[in-house]
Structures are given as structure tokens and as C-alpha cells.
Amino acid sequence: MLRFWRPAEPRSEEPAGRDHRYYSLQEPYGSAFDDEDDYDDDFDDHDEVVYRSGTPSPDHEAWDSRLDQIDHQAATEDRQRQRWWQPRYWKQRRKRWWAVRILAAIIALLILMVAWLAVTAPLSKSLEPIAPPQITLLAADGTPIARNGAITDEPIELEELPDHVAQSFLAIEDRRFYTHWGVDPRGIARAMWTGVGGGSTITQQLAKNSFLTPERSLSRKAREMLIAFWLETWLTKEEILERYLSNVYFGDNVYGLRAASLHYFYRKPENLKPEQAAMLAGLVQAPSRFAPTRHYDRAEKRMQLVLKSMVAAGYLTQEQADAMPKPVIDARAKNDLPTGTYFADWALPEVRKLSDAGYASQTYTTTLDSRLQGIARDVIARAPLGKAQVALVAMRPDGEVVAMVGGKDYSESPFNRVTQAKRQPGSTFKLFVYLAALEAGMEPDDEIDNTEIVTGSYRPKNSNGRYSQSITLEDAFAQSSNVAAVRLFNQLGDEAVIKTARDLGITSPLPAGDPSLALGTSTVTLLELTAAYAGVAANSFPVTPRALAAEEPGWFDWLWNWSGSMYNSDHDDLQQMLRRAVNNGTGRAAMLSGPNYGKTGTSQDNRDALFVGYAGDLVVGVWIGNDDNSPLAGISGGGLPARIWRDFMRQAQGATAKPRPAPQANPSGPVQPLDVPDLEDVPIGDDGTTISVRDGEGATISTEIGGAPVDIRLDQDGLRVETPEPEN
């Protein structure tokens, strides 16, 4: 390609018919041979010898020019046959040709380098903090619930700082800062010779901290030097120093001089004393190792080295350095906050998407209700869980999460069992089966076969061992008949059930063609399952759980974002079935005095126990299980999860239950059987009356008087009668 850069060589005009294969110097016999007929033996000596040039004597200059043209033409033809990757193609180039092209290549490289730096190392980035700024999360009432991220503050202005502040950093980090161009060859040579320090200037440190990763490699060092030259070209020394002091790390998750001076000395950087500035300057080399809040002795020794450097640089006299007192640390903790860490861990990624880069910390108000969060923690703390784990999430019908507990103790296990654990939902998944039936035109009074399944490869059993010739959909849902649910699933088809679950917001994999799906064998998270029930409560789905209040939708959002809903008749029928499951079915332990809707769930071998339901403006899901997926001895969804749901709802809706006293430690007394499972409800007679004996609650007889449910309880508080009156 380079061959086309050369201008075309001018071609000399040649007489037509001239033969270029050879050239004789003369015609030795002159004009005597012009005509063969004139040839005779009588050659006269007076005949004149004429050269081809037309002259009687040789024209050497014309001949030399002629030879040069021939050589040039031969070389040109030979070069045309050469390729650019062959060495001889380049060896024959003239010096001027090389100089012009090398200069052009250098200019092109500089242009590309400037463009690359403008894209990958914009000057504005050197003003951004190295780490994300600190974010504080508030509950809906303004109560702080968590802080996360680096501690940063506003950038400093060099002209407002005392001289000894900047001098401390210059003396220990870059004594020749005002004389070099971003890279200090003397500093590099000194570091290589002495083995002390890295030889990086303040400009290089700013380039590394703002634009590069902390990897240790020659290529990264080369990029660091290149960016340092870039910064020195476009920024003044004062601007570079300001950005460096505003970004550098000082330990304890603190970035920037202003945040560090407030953190360690509770003093603005404009008011730092010389000894305080010297200690802060000493932290930069190894912030974690020298942090004075944990290693004051190391920080003090490092401060003495800074003072020696200031003496050597002429900023201090030796007498002044010797008279410098030890600074007193006045650290003010900023991270002492109430609990709520499970919710915070889930909310922070969502909040990070909204936060902008900057120095100042940012505050966001979440949807968490501190009162409801406290109720959830108290209810779970009183529950006789034994070794099992627990999870509870409460949200509004529009998806605003108001309480979240992802385990018994965050300090022991930060794993969030509301959002991260995927477990079998058990019979709570039957909601989608029966909703698909209602949407297909069936009604709660329609009957379905409830006999034992004795054919086929999949033969589920009813958990209570009871069967009948037929059963209505409403009763089958309330009593959680497994055989009825599987028959209904096969009748509707898996596509209809899966579609219903997807419409309500279930995103976890749901295998097609598996009838056990009707019994909740496919795993989901408690959060998405509760959100599906929230869609039923609001009759608007899918519901997206969120930690921040939703913005008021505009008219375009209203037109564009369509939400699904059920026919009013289907919604009423489904709520009737959910109500029956609580008041007369497996969820009686969750019954409230007002309208309540829910469903119990117990997975195979009692590995998971759940209750999900709603009342008022709260939708709550409760899960109990073991992290190793081992069976829960004797615990089902209608037992402890339902009671936790009930206790939470009662207090959340204002009917505060009397708190049970926590068990007191008694070394001489008997061991409390906290890991003994609760006994199941024992039926008494044929009218649905049951008796249950549960650890910590005494005995409870559940029956109906005049069609109204009545609980007769006998526990450590005495005998009492509770008469929740459900509304129809």
C-alpha cells in the first residue's frame, strides 16, 4: 500500500520505433552501409564516421543519462514485483521517504493516544471517589436501619488548608512534586536502589486510584505513567494535589482528607494541627496497617517518619519536630444502627442503581416499617423453633415490603431465606391450580373425585389419610386434598396451571408434564410466592416486590404498562376458598377476628412448612425449615407457621397479644425440650373439633358453637376462651 504514496515517475519521450534492447556506440562505417547496393570494396578513407547520436564524436553525457534511465526503469519494474512484507522492499527506500513516514506515524500515534486517554481517562473521573459513597437507608418513619459503602465527604480546596497539611503529604509522598512532569526518574531510581517505596509520584497515585485496577504488572505501570503525563498536561499542580487529597484512602473505610480528619480527630481539615496532619499523611502508605483507631503505636511511629521527612524538606526545623505532641484520637462512630440487615442486604442493590457518584453520603427512605419489623422479630423470637430456621416477609398488596426476617440470627447466618432460598412451596402452590380451574369455568361447588389414586406411576396420598367418593372444589382446597389437586391438574393440563403461575409472577422454573407440580414440588423463593398472593389480594398482577416507594405513574405509564386481573366472579370465588381454608380448613391456627385469607403448605417428608395469606392491607408469608433440607419432625404448615402468621397479624392490626415471657435460664432445672416438635391437631368427634398440645402454649380445644369458631386455651396464664368471629 505504501507504494501508492510515491508520485508517478515521469517517462521520457522516445522516438517511435527505437529498439531498447541494445545500443551501439557508433556506426563504424558511417553512411557507407546505408544502402547495400552502394557497398563495394573501394572504401574511401575520406568517408566520415557518424555516431548514433548524430555527431562525429561520442556524446558521453547523453549516454550516461540514458543509462540512468535504463537502471531506474529496471529497478522500478523489480520493485513492482516485490511485496511489502519482504525486507528488500524497505531497504531501497530513501532517507527522506523514511523520515516523512516515521513522522506521520508518530503524529497518528499521538492522535490515537490522546483519543484513547480522553475516552478511558476523562479528567472528570479524577474528581469521583474511589469507592461508592456511603448510603444510609431509612425506614418509612425515618428510623435509620443500615449504612453501607465508603465514608466520604466533600472535596477539599488547597488554598483553604494550612500550609503544614499539604507539606506533610508532599514530604512523605512526593518531595519533588512541583518540579517533575508526573513521573520522577530520580524517585524511581532511588526506590530501585534503596528498595524503599515504589517511586510513584502523587500524580501517578492519583492516576492509579482513579483509573486503574490494583494489579501489579509492568503494563499497568506503563498505563499509570501515561495517564500521569495526561493529568499533568491538562491540570495544574494545585488541582492534582486537591484531587489526590480528596480521593486517597485513609483506612477504616474512609476516603478523602475531609472524611479522614472528621473520622479520626472530629476536626475539619482546615483546622488540622501539624501533628494531626502528619499522622494522616503517614496513613496513606498502608492505611489498614497504620489506622490509629486499631494500631495507634504504628501510626505514631509512622508520624515520626513524616516529621523527619518534613525536616529534610525544609518545612520544619528539628526543634519544631521534636516538640510536636502526640495527637489525640477522637473517633466518632457513624455505623451504630438498628437491626434490619436482611432487608438492607436485599434493598441496597436496588438503591445503588439510583445513587450517583459523588463525595457526599446519600440517604434513601425505604418501605420498611420499623414497627412491623419489630413485631416480626419479637414474634419469631418467641416461637419454639428449636434448631429450625425461619423466614417471614410482609408486604402491601402493591409490593412494598414492610418487614423482612431472613433467619433467626443475622450475625450467625446472613443468608436471606426470604430472597435467596429456593424451597418447595407445598400446598400453597395449589392456589394456581384452583385459580386455573375457576378461569376455566368451574365453580367452588363443583365436585371432583376424592378417592385414592391406585393406578398410574404417580400415586399421591392425602396427608390425613381421608378419602371420599367426591368433594367440592372449595372443600378440597380447604382440606388440602392432594388427590383432588392432582386430578384437577391432569384435567386442566399443565400448560394452564403454569400459565396461571406465570401470570401471577412466579419466575422460577416450572417443569411441564409433571403432575407432582400440583402439590408444590417445584422450588420457589418465599418472596415471589408471597408476591403472587399479593397479586390475588390486589386483583392486579404481577406484583413486583420493592424496597423503595413507587413513583406516581404518569398517563403514559398507565397506558403502556398493563396489569393482569381476574374477573370479579373468579376473584370472589378464590377469596371464598382462601377464607374457607383459614376458618374451616388446615389453616385454622391462623384465624383472625376479621376477614383473613390464606393457605397452608407442607412439602414432602415435612421438609418445608409454610403459611401465606393476607388480611387488611398486609400480605405475609412464613416459612420454617432446616438449611440442610432435613425433615421437620411433626411441624406442618397449619401448625407453627400459621401461628406465627396469626401472632404477627394480630399485633400488626392493633390487637396486641399478651407477650409470652421468654424462658429463663435455670442450670439446676430440667432441660427445655426446644427441639421437640409440636403435636398435630387431634380430632375429637365428627364435628371438626380438635385438641392440640403445643410446647409453650399449653392445650387448645378448637370447636364451633352456633357456627362460630371458639378456641378454649389452657396455659400458664390460666383458662380463657377466644371467639374469633370471621366475617362473611
Side-chain angles (χ1 to χ4, degrees):
M1 291 186 293
L2 296 177
R3 185 172 69 246
F4 292 100
W5 294 1
R6 289 190 52 140
E9 296 289 346
R11 297 186 178 182
S12 60
E13 298 294 335
E14 293 291 337
R18 182 68 60 87
D19 188 358
H20 298 291
R21 288 176 297 174
Y22 65 90
Y23 303 93
S24 59
L25 293 178
Q26 64 179 10
E27 295 177 356
Y29 299 104
S31 60
F33 291 154
D34 288 346
D35 191 352
E36 293 183 357
D37 295 338
D38 295 338
Y39 176 78
D40 58 348
D41 295 336
D42 299 328
F43 180 74
D44 298 332
D45 294 337
H46 63 274
D47 288 343
E48 182 180 4
V49 178
V50 180
Y51 289 87
R52 190 162 186 163
S53 59
T55 60
S57 60
D59 190 349
H60 297 287
E61 293 182 1
W63 177 242
D64 290 340
S65 176
R66 187 70 175 172
L67 289 178
D68 289 342
Q69 293 179 9
I70 294 172
D71 292 340
H72 177 72
Q73 183 175 355
T76 301
E77 293 177 355
D78 181 66
R79 190 179 300 112
Q80 290 175 350
R81 291 192 296 269
Q82 298 173 9
R83 297 295 181 265
W84 63 270
W85 60 80
Q86 296 175 339
R88 61 176 182 170
Y89 179 87
W90 303 97
K91 291 180 179 179
Q92 300 176 4
R93 302 295 173 179
R94 297 180 179 178
K95 294 181 179 179
R96 185 177 63 182
W97 186 93
W98 279 103
V100 171
R101 282 155 178 79
I102 290 175
L103 181 60
I106 293 175
I107 294 175
L109 182 61
L110 289 175
I111 294 175
L112 291 175
M113 186 181 303
V114 171
W116 176 77
L117 288 172
V119 173
T120 61
L123 295 176
S124 60
K125 190 175 180 181
S126 62
L127 274 174
E128 298 175 4
I130 300 170
Q134 184 184 79
I135 288 179
T136 300
L137 299 183
L138 305 178
D141 61 355
T143 303
I145 58 174
R147 283 194 181 101
N148 183 272
I151 301 174
T152 59
D153 214 312
E154 295 296 325
I156 58 96
E157 294 184 12
L158 195 61
E159 60 182 10
E160 297 181 0
L161 297 179
D163 292 339
H164 58 259
V165 175
Q167 291 171 354
S168 300
F169 288 89
L170 294 175
I172 193 64
E173 292 296 325
D174 190 359
R175 203 175 301 173
R176 289 168 38 83
F177 173 71
Y178 284 100
T179 59
H180 61 65
W181 283 78
V183 177
D184 186 8
R186 289 174 54 180
I188 297 176
R190 181 175 62 253
M192 295 178 60
W193 178 260
T194 62
V196 177
S200 294
T201 64
I202 284 179
T203 312
Q204 287 178 259
Q205 294 181 50
L206 177 62
K208 176 183 65 176
N209 294 336
S210 301
F211 303 100
L212 302 175
T213 60
E215 64 171 327
R216 293 180 177 271
S217 64
L218 293 177
S219 61
R220 187 202 62 79
K221 196 69 175 178
R223 294 196 301 273
E224 175 187 304
M225 294 181 180
L226 189 61
I227 296 175
F229 284 124
W230 167 261
L231 295 175
E232 289 279 352
T233 302
W234 296 100
L235 298 176
T236 65
K237 289 289 187 179
E238 289 72 18
E239 291 174 331
I240 292 174
L241 188 56
E242 284 178 351
R243 299 183 186 209
Y244 168 78
L245 294 177
S246 299
N247 273 351
V248 69
Y249 181 51
F250 287 92
D252 279 3
N253 203 28
V254 176
Y255 291 81
L257 180 61
R258 186 175 301 279
S261 60
L262 291 170
H263 174 72
Y264 291 114
F265 304 113
Y266 202 64
R267 181 181 291 264
K268 294 182 179 180
E270 293 81 6
N271 300 326
L272 281 173
K273 298 179 180 179
E275 63 272 15
Q276 295 171 335
M279 178 166 283
L280 290 177
L283 303 182
V284 175
Q285 184 188 59
S288 300
R289 181 183 177 187
F290 295 132
T293 52
R294 290 172 292 173
H295 310 289
Y296 184 85
D297 293 340
R298 298 177 186 175
E300 196 273 330
K301 291 181 180 179
R302 179 69 179 173
M303 183 195 74
Q304 296 299 328
L305 182 59
V306 174
L307 295 177
K308 291 181 180 179
S309 299
M310 295 181 70
V311 172
Y315 297 136
L316 292 177
T317 64
Q318 188 62 50
E319 290 75 14
Q320 290 174 326
D322 294 338
M324 202 78 68
K326 295 181 180 180
V328 178
I329 301 300
D330 184 12
R332 305 292 179 96
K334 298 176 65 176
N335 291 323
D336 295 335
L337 293 172
T339 57
T341 47
Y342 286 113
F343 177 86
D345 289 348
W346 172 69
L348 274 169
E350 182 178 348
V351 173
R352 285 289 183 200
K353 298 177 183 178
L354 305 177
S355 62
D356 299 324
Y359 287 94
S361 60
Q362 302 177 29
T363 302
Y364 293 88
T365 301
T366 67
T367 59
L368 189 75
D369 189 310
S370 58
R371 184 183 72 90
L372 297 179
Q373 179 72 16
I375 293 174
R377 293 299 306 176
D378 292 342
V379 168
I380 287 177
R382 295 196 304 266
L385 294 167
K387 297 180 180 179
Q389 277 291 350
V390 64
L392 183 150
V393 60
M395 66 178 64
R396 304 295 182 190
D398 63 355
E400 292 186 353
V401 177
V402 294
M404 179 182 290
V405 179
K408 291 192 298 185
D409 190 344
Y410 180 86
S411 62
E412 293 182 0
S413 174
F415 180 73
N416 194 335
R417 294 156 187 85
V418 172
T419 62
Q420 296 175 283
K422 285 200 168 188
R423 305 296 291 259
Q424 292 185 359
S427 294
T428 58
F429 192 86
K430 293 176 182 177
L431 172 80
F432 310 113
V433 179
Y434 285 85
L435 177 56
L438 295 176
E439 291 178 339
M442 301 182 72
E443 296 182 357
D445 293 337
D446 291 343
E447 294 187 348
I448 192 170
D449 187 358
N450 192 38
T451 60
E452 187 175 1
I453 297 177
V454 295
T455 61
S457 58
Y458 182 60
R459 303 179 183 181
K461 307 291 183 180
N462 285 343
S463 60
N464 56 13
R466 297 178 182 178
Y467 302 92
S468 60
Q469 288 300 117
S470 64
I471 191 172
T472 64
L473 295 186
E474 183 176 352
D475 288 339
F477 186 80
Q479 298 176 18
S480 199
S481 172
N482 291 335
V483 295
V486 171
R487 285 192 172 99
L488 192 59
F489 178 87
N490 292 332
Q491 179 180 336
L492 297 169
D494 56 353
E495 292 183 1
V497 175
I498 292 176
K499 179 182 182 302
T500 302
R502 296 295 186 213
D503 291 342
L504 284 170
I506 298 298
T507 58
S508 296
L510 301 175
D514 184 1
S516 69
L517 180 64
L519 306 184
T521 57
S522 182
T523 59
V524 297
T525 66
L526 181 62
L527 185 65
E528 64 178 319
L529 182 63
T530 307
Y533 275 73
V536 175
N539 195 16
S540 178
F541 45 80
V543 171
T544 302
R546 57 179 180 269
L548 299 175
E551 297 181 359
E552 189 70 23
W555 65 269
F556 181 79
D557 296 328
W558 181 78
L559 291 174
W560 183 259
N561 297 324
W562 291 89
S563 59
S565 62
M566 296 173 257
Y567 290 113
N568 290 335
S569 58
D570 292 342
H571 185 249
D572 292 341
D573 290 343
L574 185 60
Q575 289 205 124
Q576 176 183 336
M577 298 168 70
L578 289 167
R579 180 81 183 280
R580 181 70 178 275
V582 177
N583 295 337
N584 302 100
T586 57
R588 288 191 301 273
M591 189 165 50
L592 303 173
S593 59
N596 39 217
Y597 312 88
K599 185 70 183 74
T600 61
T602 307
S603 65
Q604 189 175 9
D605 298 329
N606 288 51
R607 300 178 188 276
D608 303 275
L610 303 95
F611 187 91
V612 185
Y614 56 92
D617 64 342
L618 285 177
V619 186
V620 180
V622 179
W623 168 89
I624 296 177
N626 293 316
D627 287 339
D628 60 1
N629 206 29
S630 60
L632 294 166
I635 297 181
S636 64
L640 187 56
R643 296 198 302 275
I644 292 176
W645 187 92
R646 177 200 61 197
D647 292 345
F648 175 82
M649 279 296 196
R650 283 181 175 177
Q651 298 184 49
Q653 293 181 348
T656 304
K658 183 178 179 180
R660 304 185 184 94
Q664 300 295 323
N666 184 7
S668 61
V671 176
Q672 296 294 325
L674 297 180
D675 55 350
V676 175
D678 297 329
L679 297 177
E680 293 295 326
D681 295 343
V682 179
I684 302 176
D686 297 330
D687 59 353
T689 301
T690 61
I691 182 172
S692 60
V693 181
R694 296 183 173 89
D695 177 48
E697 293 188 359
T700 302
I701 298 176
S702 300
T703 185
E704 290 186 1
I705 300 177
V710 175
D711 287 346
I712 303 173
R713 300 181 184 276
L714 178 62
D715 54 23
Q716 58 189 358
D717 295 328
L719 180 66
R720 65 183 185 276
V721 178
E722 297 179 355
T723 56
E725 298 180 359
E727 299 179 4
N728 294 322

